[in-house]
Structures are given as C-alpha cells and as structure tokens.
Amino acid sequence: MALTERSRSALYRGLCTIVDDEAVQEMLSFFPARDVEQPVTTDHLRAEVAVLRTELQAEMADLRTQLQGQMADLRTELRAEIATQSDATRTELRAEMHRIAVLNVGTFVAFAAVLIAAVRL
C-alpha cells in the first residue's frame, strides 16, 4: 500500500531526529508515494515474463512461417528463371555449334580443292 503524503512527512520528521537525513530519504524511497508505484513482486514479474515469452514465441513462429513461404516463392522463381536461361543457352549453343560445323566443312572443302589443284599441276 502506498504512503500518503501526510504519512511520509510524519515519518520523515520523526526519523530525522534519530537517523541522518540521507538514510531516511533512502528508506522512504522504497515505499511508493502513489498506488501506481507499488513495487513489483517476484510472482507478478514471473507472470509478466511468461506472457511476454509466449507472445514472442508466437511472433517468432509467425515470422518463421512467413519466411518459409517467401523462401518457397523465391525458390520457384529461381527455378523458372534457370529453366528459361537454360533453354536460351541451349538454343544459342546449338546455333553456334551449327555455325562452326558449317565453317569447318567449308574450310575442309576449300582445302581439298586447293590440294587437288596442287596435285594436278
């Protein structure tokens, strides 16, 4: 229970005659001046910490669920992008291999023609 201002004043005046002012002020600081300043009990603190812990666990579970969903979406997007890039890369590679094959055949034919012409001379 909180001390009224009148009680605080009476205690202060009475105790100052016996003990040093600082000691009386320090002692009175442990007694709340208003009801809203009641000291916290260990049981109340434990109950509040338990409530806070429960709320934090629920929030963490919610965040974990959201993160897992976002990661799944990202994985899906990444796989689609890789598949698209892979198809494009394959197409480019095939076109380049075809161009090299045509160039090699043309070079071989030209070399054979030069070789045949040189043999006829």
Side-chain angles (χ1 to χ4, degrees):
M1 183 169 129
L3 293 175
T4 64
E5 198 58 39
R6 184 176 178 196
S7 298
R8 289 178 80 77
S9 181
L11 283 172
Y12 181 77
R13 281 191 314 266
L15 291 173
C16 278
T17 59
I18 303 170
V19 186
D20 183 39
D21 278 356
E22 288 181 26
V24 174
Q25 287 178 359
E26 186 177 336
M27 185 193 79
L28 287 176
S29 70
F30 289 101
F31 294 96
R34 298 178 308 190
D35 285 338
V36 293
E37 295 177 358
Q38 288 183 359
V40 174
T41 64
T42 306
D43 292 336
H44 179 72
L45 182 61
R46 284 187 180 134
E48 289 298 315
V49 168
V51 167
L52 182 60
R53 182 176 289 130
T54 302
E55 289 175 3
L56 284 173
Q57 287 173 344
E59 285 295 322
M60 288 173 59
D62 186 40
L63 286 173
R64 192 174 294 119
T65 302
Q66 289 177 6
L67 183 60
Q68 287 173 346
Q70 290 175 351
M71 291 298 288
D73 292 345
L74 182 60
R75 240 182 266 122
T76 302
E77 289 176 24
L78 216 53
R79 285 183 179 145
E81 183 68 26
I82 288 171
T84 302
Q85 290 297 324
S86 180
D87 290 344
T89 303
R90 277 192 205 117
T91 303
E92 289 176 25
L93 188 58
R94 284 184 183 136
E96 191 64 25
M97 287 175 64
H98 183 355
R99 189 182 69 77
I100 290 172
V102 169
L103 184 63
N104 282 344
V105 169
T107 302
F108 181 71
V109 169
F111 179 72
V114 169
L115 191 61
I116 290 173
V119 169
R120 286 197 177 178
L121 286 177

